[in-house]
């Protein structure tokens, strides 16, 4: 279990389709609207940044209880066992991860990390990293990629 709650933020994994959509909406705002990204599965009508790997990733969320638990930070986390289910790690289209895979160590791929613009430069990033550290400990992860 993620142990990241504070008086200012809560940190947890997405638990529902609405949690996932909140993460994908924040990603859309940052990666598509702000930075100009696109992709074949990006849903412009509903403002969702997504791809075929989303069902295999855990989605770490930083929420602001003062704003109705609004998702203000996201990290996508893909463990090696879930990458096997997906058929590969996301980044294997660009990089040769064979040496890491053959190492026998527990791997975690990190991706799609972003913060709402109002929360950049403040404690939300610390909470996102603390949640990541808890996840790594909870899952016995040895290598981050």
């Amino acid at each position: 279990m993620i142990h990241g709650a504070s008086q200012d933020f809560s940190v947890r994994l997405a638990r529902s389709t609405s949690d996932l959509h909140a993460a994908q909406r924040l990603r859309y705002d940052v990666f598509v609207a702000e930075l100009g990204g696109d992709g074949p599965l990006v849903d412009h009508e509903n403002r969702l940044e997504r791809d075929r790997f989303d069902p295999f990733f855990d989605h770490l969320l930083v929420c602001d209880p003062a704003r109705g638990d609004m998702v203000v930070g996201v990290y996508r986390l893909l463990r090696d066992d879930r990458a096997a289910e997906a058929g590969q790690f996301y980044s294997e289209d660009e990089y040769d991860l064979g040496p890491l895979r053959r190492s026998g160590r527990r791997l975690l791929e990190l991706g799609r990390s972003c913060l709402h613009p109002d929360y950049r430069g403040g404690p939300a990033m610390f909470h996102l990293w603390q949640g990541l550290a808890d996840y790594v400990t909870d899952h016995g992860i040895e290598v981050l990629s």
Side-chain angles (χ1 to χ4, degrees), residues 2 6 57 66 72 98 115 119 125 130 132:
I2 302 299
S6 81
F57 276 82
V72 300
L115 289 171
Y119 294 83
M125 191 69 195
Q130 184 62 54
L132 174 60

Side-chain angles (χ1 to χ4, degrees), residues 21-61:
H21 286 169
Q24 291 170 332
R25 265 190 296 285
L26 177 59
R27 290 172 14 200
Y28 186 95
D29 290 346
V30 172
F31 297 121
V32 178
E34 184 179 337
L35 298 175
D38 202 2
L41 295 180
V42 170
D43 180 348
H44 293 286
E45 183 176 330
N46 293 302
R47 299 182 61 86
L48 301 175
E49 192 281 331
R50 58 188 182 182
D51 65 23
R52 77 170 188 89
F53 287 90
D54 272 333
F56 301 98
F57 276 82
D58 283 330
H59 302 267
L60 183 65
L61 310 176

